[in-house]
Amino acid sequence: MAAEPINRFPLDAAIIFSDILVIPIALGMKVANDPGEGPVFAEPIQKAEDVDKLNPDFDILAELGYVYEAITLTRHKLDGRVPLFGFSGAPFTLLRFMIENVSAGPNVGRARRFLVECPESSIRLLNILKDAIVRHLVEQIIAGAQIVQVFDSYAGELGPGLFFRYELPMLKAIAYEVREKLAERKTDAVPMVIFAKDAHFAIEELSKSGYEVVGLDWTIQPLHARRVAGSKVTLQGNMDPVMMFASKDEIRKGVKEMLEKFGTQRYIANLGHGILKDTNPDHLAEFINAVHTYSEDMNAVS
């Protein structure tokens, strides 16, 4: 079962799925169930003093060992067919869930307000999350992950000012500290991916932040992204996930256009965010097959 998507589709990599909120839970936040909305935090962070309730020194193997066991098991099941991704949510994205209790309804703006009203507590919380993310990624790599990705799904909400002040330093520190701690444990580093959704303003800075790959959402022009990011970083993305609901002809057309703009070097074809529920698996297969077909054709004539 662990390798079922790889058995069904000719994908070039596999990713282990573990909800990004396992880190806040490991830090001590309690989950409640909101009927119709899914899991929410019973006591979201509302004031500076709430940060003191967290337990940054949690036993990571006791709390999240099941994730690492799943990675090792999946790595064995894949048997070398494709590399295995690990991943984590980014500091601000986790902070936003912890403060705004996203699944519980609209509390938009509360996390950004917390940053400006409680800057010292915000930096402390972001550092707690950064440290937990580093530990989590390191354990995933030791367990067998061959590449890891940091998801910052709400990065764009910060805008340049707050992003560069609060989040970018944390993202840079994650890239550096993961490699540092792997070296301490005599484990080889692996490629790292940063995906900061809607952070168009930060592509250049992200390309220099210590990650080998910069993920792009579907609202970014490929040619602009390549020009700004430069030629030394690999780009990943960026077809709109809603295109999986288009006709197969339109999907193939979209893939061809995307590949022609990005080129086939230092590029990972992907969607611009997560796949939407109710997506027809046959349409996903069309997307994957078109990527292989057009990229092979392009490489053959280059």
Side-chain angles (χ1 to χ4, degrees):
M1 293 296 291
E4 184 176 340
I6 301 301
N7 294 335
R8 180 169 184 176
F9 302 107
L11 295 162
D12 296 319
I15 188 166
I16 198 80
F17 182 79
S18 170
D19 197 287
I20 64 171
L21 299 185
V22 297
I23 287 180
I25 293 170
L27 287 167
M29 295 192 74
K30 304 300 181 184
V31 175
N33 188 48
D34 186 358
E37 296 293 343
V40 297
F41 291 118
E43 297 180 1
I45 290 175
Q46 297 182 322
K47 54 187 183 298
E49 293 77 16
D50 292 337
V51 178
D52 298 329
K53 299 176 184 178
L54 299 174
N55 175 24
D57 299 319
F58 66 90
D59 184 331
I60 195 163
L61 294 181
E63 295 293 335
L64 299 176
Y66 63 91
V67 177
Y68 316 130
E69 291 173 8
I71 287 174
T72 301
L73 175 62
T74 303
R75 178 79 183 271
H76 286 302
K77 290 285 187 181
L78 290 171
D79 195 27
R81 285 179 288 170
V82 294
L84 178 62
F85 272 76
F87 75 97
S88 173
F92 175 72
T93 287
L94 294 179
L95 178 149
R96 187 179 184 275
F97 273 97
M98 294 164 75
I99 292 176
E100 297 186 11
N101 226 353
V102 176
S103 296
N107 296 298
V108 178
R110 189 177 294 173
R112 290 186 293 122
R113 176 176 170 180
F114 190 85
L115 293 179
V116 299
E117 286 186 335
C118 309
E120 292 183 3
S121 294
S122 294
I123 291 173
R124 180 165 178 245
L125 176 53
L126 288 168
N127 272 295
I128 289 172
L129 290 168
K130 180 263 295 178
D131 291 344
I133 291 164
V134 169
R135 294 168 65 199
H136 189 38
L137 292 175
V138 166
E139 294 298 339
Q140 290 183 61
I141 294 166
I142 289 173
Q146 294 152 289
I147 183 170
V148 292
Q149 180 160 333
V150 179
F151 285 87
D152 210 352
S153 294
Y154 295 108
E157 293 185 1
L158 290 171
L162 294 178
F163 183 83
F164 292 141
R165 178 180 177 185
Y166 288 101
E167 184 72 336
L168 186 61
M170 299 298 161
L171 296 176
K172 288 180 176 179
I174 289 169
Y176 175 80
E177 292 178 23
V178 164
R179 293 183 177 89
E180 184 180 51
K181 293 189 180 300
L182 287 171
E184 291 173 0
R185 296 175 67 170
K186 296 180 170 51
T187 301
D188 291 337
V190 304
M192 298 182 67
V193 184
I194 178 62
F195 174 72
K197 186 174 180 291
D198 295 324
H200 311 160
F201 49 81
I203 294 175
E204 181 178 3
E205 288 78 8
L206 290 169
S207 72
K208 301 173 183 177
S209 62
Y211 296 81
E212 286 82 2
V213 183
V214 175
L216 305 172
D217 65 67
W218 67 93
T219 63
I220 299 173
Q221 289 280 8
L223 294 176
H224 171 71
R226 179 66 75 188
R227 183 169 57 252
V228 173
S231 59
K232 294 183 179 180
V233 69
T234 295
L235 299 180
Q236 175 176 283
N238 70 335
M239 180 170 280
D240 188 340
V242 79
M243 284 299 295
M244 296 304 99
F245 295 92
S247 69
K248 291 183 178 181
D249 284 343
E250 285 298 314
I251 292 173
R252 288 193 297 271
K253 179 181 176 182
V255 168
K256 186 173 185 292
E257 181 180 346
M258 179 176 72
L259 293 180
E260 288 174 344
K261 290 182 177 179
F262 276 112
T264 60
Q265 304 304 307
R266 289 196 175 273
Y267 172 58
I268 300 171
N270 207 334
L271 299 178
H273 201 235
I275 192 166
L276 299 171
K277 69 177 183 178
D278 301 327
T279 294
N280 185 332
D282 291 339
H283 284 220
L284 177 61
E286 194 70 31
F287 170 77
I288 297 167
N289 290 330
V291 168
H292 284 289
T293 298
Y294 289 124
S295 60
E296 289 167 7
D297 288 347
M298 291 170 68
N299 281 327
V301 298
S302 61

